[in-house]
């Protein structure tokens, strides 16, 4: 078994690793950004596929990875692990439908709430104590799911008809367009940005490049918030206009 994941600020990677440890599995993890991931998927029968959910939909980078590698999934047995900040009706279901279309079997799904990576929207800001509680509850949910799987019962979070309706009517009908194309609204404050280049190497989309007066963006952002969370000057905003919390998972452990 292998684990394939996409993680922006670290939530999904943390949960995937915690899940594998709880299962007692010795599993190799591959980011979808890893040059060896396709070969690894081709050589395995069972895998865990993990990603964050945006607006009850797939991040564009994850959607593209699945669809552009459609032939890889035929005959695979996949368990889907999703992380989310607020709500996801069918976070696991959105990829499950693609995997089944391409010939895979979906074993089950697990939804895990984590501290929201969107740290530039004041409404989503939570105190440190609350975020630590969210992580503690996530750890317990992961442990319970692992015990169920060990007993032969896979959780089915996000895979039912009512889950799909909830995802559609509570989020995708209103915000679905945000994940169907790459985002061009990311900004860097020219008064704060010192042109250190930390964000350039971190971007999974190669969307950021250095210019004479700081960094510039090429209009192909997948809204993973990785650059936002790791900017030492707190100069970058994605959706909002101000940095309230950089929301890295290690802050809450």
């Amino acid at each position: 078994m292998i684990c394939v994941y996409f993680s922006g600020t670290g939530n999904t990677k943390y949960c995937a690793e915690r899940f594998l440890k709880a299962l007692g599995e010795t599993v190799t993890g591959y980011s979808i950004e890893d040059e060896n991931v396709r070969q690894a998927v081709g050589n395995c029968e069972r895998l865990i596929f993990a990603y964050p959910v945006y607006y009850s939909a797939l991040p564009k980078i994850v959607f593209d990875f699945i669809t552009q590698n459609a032939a890889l999934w035929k005959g695979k047995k996949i368990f889907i692990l999703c992380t989310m900040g607020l709500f996801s009706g069918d976070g696991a279901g959105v990829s499950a439908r693609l995997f089944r279309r391409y010939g895979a079997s979906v074993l089950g799904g697990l939804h895990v709430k984590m501290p929201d990576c969107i740290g530039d929207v004041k409404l989503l800001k939570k105190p440190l104590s609350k975020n630590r509680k969210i992580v503690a509850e996530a750890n317990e949910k992961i442990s319970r799911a692992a015990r169920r799987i060990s007993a032969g019962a896979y959780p089915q979070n996000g895979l039912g008809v009512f889950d799909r309706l909830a995802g559609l009517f509570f989020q995708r009908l209103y915000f679905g367009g945000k994940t169907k194309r790459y985002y061009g609204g990311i900004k860097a404050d020219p008064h704060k940005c010192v042109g250190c280049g930390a964000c350039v190497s971190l971007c999974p989309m190669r969307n950021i490049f250095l210019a004479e007066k700081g960094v510039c963006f090429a209009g192909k952002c997948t809204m993973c918030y990785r650059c936002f969370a790791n900017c030492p000057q707190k100069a970058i905003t994605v959706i909002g206009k101000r940095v309230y919390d950089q929301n890295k998972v290690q802050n809450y452990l």
Side-chain angles (χ1 to χ4, degrees):
M1 180 190 287
I2 66 169
C3 178
V4 177
Y5 66 88
F6 175 69
S7 190
T9 59
N11 281 341
T12 302
K13 185 174 187 290
Y14 171 84
C15 289
E17 291 175 346
R18 186 96 185 184
F19 184 51
L20 296 173
K21 185 176 180 180
L23 286 172
E25 297 270 5
T26 302
V27 182
T28 304
Y30 294 88
S31 167
I32 64 173
E33 302 160 61
D34 192 314
E35 62 181 12
N36 298 313
V37 65
R38 292 165 183 82
Q39 181 179 350
V41 172
N43 292 335
C44 78
E45 179 184 4
R46 283 194 312 144
L47 64 107
I48 296 165
F49 195 90
Y51 55 88
V53 179
Y54 300 164
Y55 305 106
S56 287
L58 289 171
K60 186 68 167 70
I61 190 174
V62 176
F63 177 84
D64 284 354
F65 179 79
I66 295 173
T67 56
Q68 290 170 7
N69 295 284
L72 276 178
W73 314 115
K74 187 175 182 179
K76 306 301 181 186
K77 297 177 181 178
I78 304 175
F79 183 84
I80 302 166
L81 170 64
C82 299
T83 58
M84 58 207 64
L86 288 176
F87 162 83
S88 171
D90 59 341
V94 288
S95 68
R97 293 190 286 276
L98 288 175
F99 286 132
R100 288 170 179 149
R101 181 188 305 171
Y102 300 138
S105 298
V106 176
L107 300 171
L110 180 64
H111 287 180
V112 182
K113 184 178 179 180
M114 288 290 283
D116 206 308
C117 70
I118 302 175
D120 54 357
V121 175
K122 188 175 183 180
L123 183 65
L124 300 178
K125 178 175 170 56
K126 296 182 178 68
L128 181 63
S129 58
K130 176 64 174 177
N131 281 328
R132 284 179 171 166
K133 183 179 179 183
I134 289 172
V135 173
E137 290 172 347
N139 291 341
E140 180 54 35
K141 184 170 187 178
I142 289 168
S143 296
R144 289 197 306 270
R147 290 194 292 269
R148 286 188 61 192
I149 291 172
S150 297
Y154 285 90
Q156 300 294 312
N157 297 171
L159 300 178
V161 173
F162 290 108
D163 298 317
R164 186 172 184 176
L165 292 174
L168 177 64
F169 287 107
F170 284 96
Q171 290 210 68
R172 279 196 302 280
L173 277 180
Y174 316 102
F175 307 112
K178 292 183 179 293
T179 59
K180 289 183 178 178
R181 61 190 65 87
Y182 287 109
Y183 178 66
I186 185 171
K187 300 172 287 293
D189 187 334
H191 302 293
K192 294 181 179 179
C193 177
V194 295
C196 69
C199 56
V200 175
S201 59
L202 288 170
C203 179
M205 298 306 307
R206 296 183 175 88
N207 179 57
I208 310 173
F209 58 94
L210 284 175
E212 184 178 346
K213 296 182 179 180
V215 295
C216 294
F217 305 94
K220 199 176 181 183
C221 172
T222 192
M223 295 191 291
C224 72
Y225 271 79
R226 191 182 295 172
C227 61
F228 169 93
N230 290 281
C231 176
Q233 302 300 318
K234 299 183 179 181
I236 296 175
T237 52
V238 182
I239 296 174
K241 297 181 179 179
R242 175 182 168 187
V243 177
Y244 293 98
D245 191 341
Q246 289 183 302
N247 288 12
K248 289 186 284 189
V249 67
Q250 57 263 37
N251 296 340
Y252 311 127
L253 304 179

